């Protein structure tokens, strides 16, 4: 392994950081749940709020950094970010994690300033790269990054004692990232499936099918939902939007040939993540309308949609951009399969709180940590290694 390669591309450092933080942060949360860690707060923030914040604005934000610093130059032909910039934004992300962890020892305004610095700097770089070939369908990601940042801002406003917007920000940030998955997943899932089917020699008449009358609302509704939550819309409106978004996501998925390549986990993992997005949106919407557990539904989105889709994309991008075959190593394939197990355990912990609350939550945490430990064990060396073919990092 050669540490000097870590900052040669955004996917390297951020996909490594996302995996490491996925394990560390959930391990801390799980230890607290067992009662081995005492106290009513973690690092100055209530445990459940620290956990939620770090999953959304720590783990998921790291995946955004790796994805956009890698994908946007490919979309536009712009020059990739230099090593010094990758080091800068990685440092800002890490500083945010440290600031939140030390929230009990630092002024709330300092914690906010440090933690809120990462996404604007990332967005500025994405903007300069998108301007090389501006397209509306790509520029919209700046809106989604901004919405994610606003969600974090709303959390910090309450931590500073200036507003009562903590849960609004957490939900809004979560749903803004889900909106990115709806848009990006709607592009890459059928496209990557088609490519794999062609490589497998499957007849072109059986390729994935997309319909504009499904794709447009399937992309727009999740964005509107995130906006509604960020502005504090009534639950009836947000719930209705969520149910509709989930139904359209499910309808889109039916045409993408999810079962065409059962022997290729790196393909079906994308379908699994998108399917959990559809399920999570619909179930969360129903919960807002009075049917079912809202926390259980939020974790279908957080663990299943965000965790599952980011794991699928990170592993695929790491293999592809490192010059390796797009074949998921066995530990990574197992990790894909563990994500719905974690979802089921966490949902059961909310659905049956009297008998299964702690076992479900602790079990979900352990399964999540195992999934990302497998990911790191299998792909971790790639982040520090040159391409086997000698190509660019």
């Amino acid at each position: 392994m050669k540490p000097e390669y870590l900052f040669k591309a955004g996917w390297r450092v951020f996909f490594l950081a996302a995996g490491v933080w996925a394990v560390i942060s959930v391990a801390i949360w799980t230890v607290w749940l067992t009662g081995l860690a005492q106290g009513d707060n973690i690092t100055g923030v209530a445990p459940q709020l620290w956990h939620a914040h770090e999953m959304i604005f720590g783990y998921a934000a790291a995946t955004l950094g790796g994805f956009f610093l890698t994908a946007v130059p490919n979309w536009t032909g712009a020059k990739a970010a230099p090593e010094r910039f990758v080091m800068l934004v990685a440092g800002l992300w890490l500083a945010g994690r440290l600031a939140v962890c030390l929230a009990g020892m630092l002024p709330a305004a300092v914690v906010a300033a440090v933690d809120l610095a990462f996404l604007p700097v990332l967005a500025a770089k994405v903007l300069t790269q998108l301007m090389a070939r501006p397209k509306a369908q790509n520029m919209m990601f700046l809106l989604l990054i901004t919405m994610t940042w606003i969600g974090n801002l709303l959390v910090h406003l309450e931590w500073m004692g200036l507003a009562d917007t903590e849960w609004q920000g957490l939900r809004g940030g979560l749903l803004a990232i889900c909106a990115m998955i709806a848009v990006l997943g709607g592009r890459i899932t059928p496209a990557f499936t088609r490519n794999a089917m062609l490589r497998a020699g499957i007849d072109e008449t059986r390729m994935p099918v997309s319909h504009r009358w499904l794709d447009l609302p399937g992309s727009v509704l999740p964005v509107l939902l995130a906006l509604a939550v960020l502005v504090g819309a009534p639950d009836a409106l947000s719930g209705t939007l969520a149910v509709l978004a989930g139904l359209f996501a499910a309808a889109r998925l039916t045409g993408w040939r999810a079962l065409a390549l059962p022997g290729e986990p790196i393909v079906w993992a994308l379908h699994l993540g998108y399917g959990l997005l559809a399920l999570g949106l619909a179930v969360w919407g129903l919960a807002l309308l009075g049917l079912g557990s809202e926390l259980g539904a939020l974790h279908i989105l957080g663990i299943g949609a965000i965790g599952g889709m980011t794991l699928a994309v990170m592993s695929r991008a790491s293999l592809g951009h490192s010059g390796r075959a797009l074949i998921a190593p066995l530990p990574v394939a197992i990790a894909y399969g563990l994500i719905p197990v974690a979802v089921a355990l966490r949902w059961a912990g909310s659905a049956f709180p009297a008998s299964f609350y702690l076992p479900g939550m602790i079990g979900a945490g352990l399964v999540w940590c195992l999934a990302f430990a497998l990911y790191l064990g299998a792909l971790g060396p790639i982040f520090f290694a040159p391409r086997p073919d000698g190509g660019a990092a």
Side-chain angles (χ1 to χ4, degrees):
M1 294 196 302
K2 298 183 179 181
E4 64 268 23
Y5 278 89
L6 184 60
F7 298 102
K8 287 188 175 295
W11 64 268
R12 291 176 177 268
V13 63
F14 278 110
F15 291 167
L16 173 64
V20 170
W21 196 234
V23 175
I24 291 176
S25 60
V26 174
I28 292 171
W29 167 239
T30 304
V31 168
W32 185 87
L33 287 171
T34 65
L36 296 176
Q38 301 299 314
D40 293 329
N41 60 56
I42 295 177
T43 64
V45 179
Q48 68 274 18
L49 299 175
W50 180 86
H51 165 64
H53 182 274
E54 288 308 293
M55 286 292 93
I56 300 166
F57 305 111
Y59 167 76
T63 69
L64 297 184
F67 178 82
F68 284 114
L69 289 177
T70 304
V72 175
N74 291 336
W75 295 344
T76 65
K79 186 177 179 181
E83 287 184 56
R84 61 183 179 274
F85 180 83
V86 175
M87 293 179 68
L88 169 65
V89 288
L92 289 174
W93 176 86
L94 179 60
R97 311 289 54 76
L98 294 174
V100 174
C101 285
L102 298 174
M105 298 162 39
L106 297 172
V110 172
V111 176
V114 174
D115 188 41
L116 290 168
F118 166 64
L119 285 179
V121 175
L122 173 66
K125 171 57 73 174
V126 170
L127 173 60
T128 63
Q129 293 175 329
L130 286 174
M131 291 307 294
R133 193 180 298 167
K135 293 182 178 180
Q137 64 265 38
N138 293 334
M139 297 295 285
M140 72 171 296
F141 291 117
L142 292 172
L143 169 64
L144 293 172
I145 293 174
T146 301
M147 289 165 59
T148 305
W149 181 85
I150 290 172
N152 200 11
L153 173 64
L154 292 174
V155 174
H156 283 287
L157 287 175
E158 179 158 341
W159 289 359
M160 289 187 289
L162 300 177
D164 183 19
T165 52
E166 188 171 51
W167 281 106
Q168 181 179 330
L170 291 171
R171 289 175 174 86
L174 176 78
L175 290 164
I177 295 168
C178 286
M180 291 194 202
I181 291 173
V183 176
L184 284 168
R187 295 184 190 179
I188 67 175
T189 302
F192 290 167
T193 302
R194 178 183 176 84
N195 293 342
M197 291 173 71
L198 290 173
R199 289 195 300 269
I202 296 175
D203 189 273
E204 289 204 32
T205 60
R206 298 168 57 195
M207 291 294 123
V209 177
S210 294
H211 301 285
R212 183 172 176 79
W213 66 273
L214 289 175
D215 291 343
L216 184 59
S219 296
V220 172
L221 283 169
V223 178
L224 293 177
L225 171 62
L227 284 169
V229 172
L230 286 170
V231 301
D235 284 354
L237 174 59
S238 297
T240 301
L241 287 172
V243 171
L244 289 173
L247 292 175
F248 272 97
R252 297 177 79 188
L253 190 60
T254 60
W256 293 346
R257 306 294 189 262
L259 302 178
L261 299 164
E264 293 201 30
I266 206 162
V267 175
W268 59 249
L270 296 169
H271 294 264
L272 178 61
Y274 205 89
L276 288 169
L277 172 70
L279 176 64
L281 288 171
V283 172
W284 185 69
L286 291 174
L288 287 192
L289 298 174
L291 298 173
S293 164
E294 186 194 2
L295 279 178
L298 287 172
H299 282 83
I300 297 175
L301 291 172
I303 299 172
I306 295 177
M309 186 62 85
T310 55
L311 181 61
V313 171
M314 289 192 299
S315 54
R316 183 187 184 93
S318 298
L319 291 167
H321 287 281
S322 66
R324 290 162 174 81
L326 293 176
I327 301 173
L330 179 60
V332 175
I334 294 172
Y336 297 154
L338 288 175
I339 292 297
V341 176
V343 170
L345 287 169
R346 184 58 185 85
W347 178 84
S350 295
F352 310 106
S355 58
F356 204 68
Y357 178 70
L358 275 180
M361 291 178 63
I362 293 171
L366 292 174
V367 171
W368 169 278
C369 289
L370 176 58
F372 281 90
L374 290 170
Y375 159 79
L376 290 171
L379 301 183
I382 290 176
F383 303 124
F384 299 94
R387 287 174 59 107
D389 58 7

